[in-house]
Amino acid sequence: MASKDLSWKFVEDRTVEPDVIRGARAQSLELGVEPISAATGAQLAVITAALAAEQLIEIGTGVGVSGLWLLQGAPDAQLTSIDVEADHHEAARRHFTDAGHPAARVRLITGRASEVLPRMNEGSYDAVLIDADPASIAEYLEHALRLVRPGGAVLLPHALWHDAVPDPARRDGVTAELRGILAELLESTAVRTAVSPVGDGLLQIVTAR
């Protein structure tokens, strides 16, 4: 095992995941929904805590793993989460309740993100998480940059797409699109961008104040 793989495993193994998130992760895997890694979640919590986030939105609820981690760093924030699967929302609601998050602070919208996002208020969110259909990443990213407030963060887990993005031999549609997005953002002077190798890669974009 290469030293980088050892470092990755070391970080993942030493991330302490609350019981309710661990339970949500187990259910997610049972349903075949790939959740963010525990270390990725911990990093999300650090970011929302640093932002003192009050308004969060995520595209792709799953059964609540990523949303629970976002709220772990900002427990008093309002979370809006969008997913097309009503069954996922039913499961996620139980996990949010078990974690002690009042229903009034967790707004679950069942519907297609492409139809819901245009109705959301511009510049209203401290952090936007995109963890949904990879074929629509470019569209969701455009919406996210509109929705986040100046100085807020747009967060994209799975940014390295199962180690495909760094591999020049991989040229499938999703990999090529993510590679292009990363290249464009890293060259942009309008945002500050960093990619962390944690989990499956975490793209972090901070908008100008």
Coordinates of all heavy atoms in Angstrom, one line a residue, residues 43-81:
Q43 N -14.7 17.1 7.8 CA -14.2 18.3 7.1 C -15.4 19.3 6.9 O -15.3 20.5 7.0 CB -13.5 18.0 5.9 CG -12.7 19.2 5.3 CD -11.5 18.8 4.4 OE1 -11.1 17.6 4.4 NE2 -11.1 19.7 3.6
L44 N -16.5 18.8 6.4 CA -17.7 19.6 6.2 C -18.1 20.3 7.5 O -18.5 21.5 7.5 CB -18.9 18.8 5.7 CG -18.8 18.1 4.3 CD1 -20.0 17.4 4.0 CD2 -18.4 19.1 3.3
A45 N -18.1 19.6 8.6 CA -18.4 20.1 9.9 C -17.5 21.3 10.3 O -17.9 22.3 10.9 CB -18.5 19.1 11.0
V46 N -16.2 21.1 10.0 CA -15.2 22.2 10.3 C -15.5 23.4 9.5 O -15.5 24.5 10.0 CB -13.8 21.7 10.1 CG1 -12.8 22.8 10.1 CG2 -13.4 20.6 11.1
I47 N -15.9 23.2 8.2 CA -16.2 24.4 7.4 C -17.4 25.1 7.8 O -17.4 26.3 7.9 CB -16.3 23.9 5.9 CG1 -15.0 23.4 5.4 CG2 -16.9 25.0 5.0 CD1 -15.1 22.6 4.1
T48 N -18.5 24.4 8.1 CA -19.7 25.1 8.6 C -19.5 25.7 9.9 O -20.1 26.8 10.2 CB -20.9 24.1 8.6 OG1 -20.7 23.0 9.5 CG2 -21.3 23.6 7.2
A49 N -18.7 25.1 10.8 CA -18.4 25.8 12.1 C -17.6 27.0 11.8 O -17.9 28.1 12.5 CB -17.6 24.8 13.0
A50 N -16.6 27.0 11.0 CA -15.8 28.2 10.7 C -16.6 29.3 10.1 O -16.3 30.5 10.3 CB -14.6 27.8 9.8
L51 N -17.6 29.0 9.3 CA -18.5 30.0 8.7 C -19.5 30.5 9.6 O -20.2 31.5 9.3 CB -19.2 29.4 7.5 CG -18.4 29.0 6.2 CD1 -19.2 28.2 5.2 CD2 -17.9 30.3 5.6
A52 N -19.6 29.9 10.8 CA -20.8 30.2 11.7 C -22.1 30.1 10.9 O -22.9 31.1 11.0 CB -20.5 31.5 12.4
A53 N -22.2 29.1 10.2 CA -23.3 29.0 9.2 C -24.7 29.0 9.9 O -24.9 28.4 10.9 CB -23.2 27.7 8.4
E54 N -25.6 29.8 9.3 CA -27.0 29.8 9.7 C -28.0 29.3 8.7 O -29.0 28.8 9.1 CB -27.4 31.3 10.0 CG -26.6 31.9 11.2 CD -26.9 33.4 11.4 OE1 -27.8 33.9 10.7 OE2 -26.4 34.0 12.3
Q55 N -27.6 29.3 7.4 CA -28.4 28.8 6.4 C -27.6 27.8 5.5 O -26.6 28.2 4.9 CB -29.0 29.9 5.5 CG -30.0 30.8 6.2 CD -31.3 30.1 6.5 OE1 -31.7 29.1 5.8 NE2 -32.0 30.5 7.5
L56 N -28.0 26.6 5.4 CA -27.4 25.6 4.6 C -28.3 25.0 3.6 O -29.5 24.8 3.9 CB -26.9 24.4 5.5 CG -26.0 24.8 6.7 CD1 -25.8 23.7 7.7 CD2 -24.6 25.2 6.2
I57 N -27.8 24.6 2.5 CA -28.6 23.9 1.5 C -27.8 22.8 0.8 O -26.6 23.0 0.6 CB -29.2 24.9 0.4 CG1 -30.1 24.1 -0.6 CG2 -28.0 25.5 -0.4 CD1 -30.9 25.1 -1.5
E58 N -28.4 21.6 0.7 CA -27.7 20.6 0.0 C -28.5 20.0 -1.1 O -29.7 19.9 -1.0 CB -27.3 19.5 1.0 CG -28.4 18.7 1.6 CD -27.9 17.5 2.4 OE1 -26.7 17.1 2.3 OE2 -28.7 16.9 3.2
I59 N -27.8 19.6 -2.2 CA -28.5 19.0 -3.4 C -28.1 17.5 -3.3 O -27.0 17.2 -3.6 CB -27.9 19.7 -4.7 CG1 -28.2 21.2 -4.6 CG2 -28.6 19.1 -5.9 CD1 -27.3 22.0 -5.6
G60 N -29.1 16.7 -3.0 CA -28.9 15.3 -2.8 C -28.9 15.0 -1.3 O -27.8 15.1 -0.6
T61 N -30.0 14.6 -0.8 CA -30.1 14.3 0.6 C -29.6 12.9 1.0 O -29.0 12.7 2.1 CB -31.6 14.3 1.1 OG1 -32.2 15.6 0.6 CG2 -31.8 14.2 2.6
G62 N -29.9 11.9 0.1 CA -29.6 10.5 0.5 C -30.5 10.2 1.7 O -31.7 10.6 1.8
V63 N -29.9 9.6 2.7 CA -30.7 9.3 3.9 C -30.2 10.2 5.1 O -30.5 9.9 6.3 CB -30.7 7.8 4.4 CG1 -31.4 7.0 3.2 CG2 -29.3 7.3 4.7
G64 N -29.4 11.3 4.7 CA -29.1 12.3 5.7 C -27.7 12.3 6.2 O -27.3 13.2 7.1
V65 N -26.8 11.5 5.7 CA -25.4 11.5 6.2 C -24.7 12.8 6.1 O -24.2 13.4 7.0 CB -24.6 10.4 5.5 CG1 -23.1 10.4 6.0 CG2 -25.1 9.0 5.8
S66 N -24.7 13.4 4.9 CA -24.0 14.6 4.6 C -24.7 15.8 5.4 O -24.0 16.7 5.9 CB -24.0 15.0 3.1 OG -25.3 14.9 2.5
G67 N -26.1 15.8 5.4 CA -26.8 16.8 6.1 C -26.5 16.8 7.6 O -26.3 17.9 8.3
L68 N -26.4 15.6 8.2 CA -26.1 15.5 9.6 C -24.7 16.0 9.9 O -24.4 16.7 10.9 CB -26.2 14.0 10.0 CG -27.6 13.5 10.1 CD1 -27.6 11.9 10.2 CD2 -28.3 14.0 11.4
W69 N -23.7 15.8 9.0 CA -22.4 16.3 9.2 C -22.3 17.8 9.1 O -21.7 18.5 9.8 CB -21.4 15.6 8.2 CG -20.8 14.4 8.7 CD1 -20.9 13.1 8.2 CD2 -19.9 14.3 9.8 NE1 -20.2 12.2 8.9 CE2 -19.5 12.9 9.9 CE3 -19.4 15.2 10.8 CZ2 -18.7 12.4 10.9 CZ3 -18.5 14.7 11.8 CH2 -18.2 13.3 11.8
L70 N -23.1 18.4 8.1 CA -23.2 19.8 8.0 C -23.7 20.4 9.3 O -23.1 21.4 9.8 CB -24.1 20.2 6.8 CG -23.6 19.9 5.4 CD1 -24.7 20.2 4.4 CD2 -22.4 20.8 5.1
L71 N -24.7 19.8 9.9 CA -25.3 20.3 11.1 C -24.4 20.0 12.3 O -24.6 20.7 13.3 CB -26.7 19.8 11.3 CG -27.7 20.3 10.3 CD1 -29.0 19.5 10.4 CD2 -28.0 21.8 10.5
Q72 N -23.6 19.1 12.2 CA -22.6 18.8 13.3 C -21.8 20.0 13.6 O -21.4 20.3 14.7 CB -21.8 17.6 12.9 CG -20.9 17.0 14.0 CD -21.7 16.2 15.1 OE1 -22.8 16.0 14.9 NE2 -21.0 15.9 16.1
G73 N -21.4 20.7 12.5 CA -20.6 21.9 12.7 C -21.4 23.2 13.0 O -20.9 24.2 13.5
A74 N -22.7 23.2 12.6 CA -23.6 24.3 12.8 C -24.9 23.8 13.3 O -25.9 23.9 12.5 CB -23.7 25.1 11.5
P75 N -25.0 23.4 14.5 CA -26.2 22.7 15.0 C -27.4 23.6 15.1 O -28.6 23.1 15.2 CB -25.8 22.3 16.4 CG -24.6 23.1 16.8 CD -23.9 23.4 15.6
D76 N -27.3 24.9 15.1 CA -28.4 25.8 15.1 C -28.8 26.3 13.8 O -29.7 27.2 13.6 CB -28.1 27.0 16.0 CG -27.9 26.6 17.5 OD1 -28.6 25.6 17.9 OD2 -27.1 27.2 18.2
A77 N -28.2 25.8 12.7 CA -28.5 26.3 11.4 C -29.8 25.7 10.8 O -30.3 24.7 11.3 CB -27.3 25.9 10.4
Q78 N -30.3 26.4 9.8 CA -31.5 25.9 9.1 C -30.9 25.1 7.9 O -30.1 25.7 7.1 CB -32.3 27.0 8.6 CG -33.5 26.7 7.6 CD -34.7 26.2 8.4 OE1 -35.1 26.7 9.4 NE2 -35.4 25.2 7.8
L79 N -31.3 23.9 7.7 CA -30.9 23.1 6.6 C -32.0 22.8 5.6 O -33.1 22.4 6.0 CB -30.4 21.7 7.0 CG -30.0 20.7 5.9 CD1 -28.8 21.2 5.1 CD2 -29.8 19.3 6.5
T80 N -31.8 23.2 4.3 CA -32.7 22.8 3.3 C -32.0 21.7 2.4 O -30.9 21.9 2.0 CB -33.0 24.0 2.4 OG1 -33.6 25.1 3.2 CG2 -33.9 23.7 1.2
S81 N -32.7 20.6 2.2 CA -32.1 19.5 1.5 C -33.1 19.0 0.4 O -34.3 18.8 0.6 CB -31.8 18.4 2.5 OG -31.0 17.4 1.8

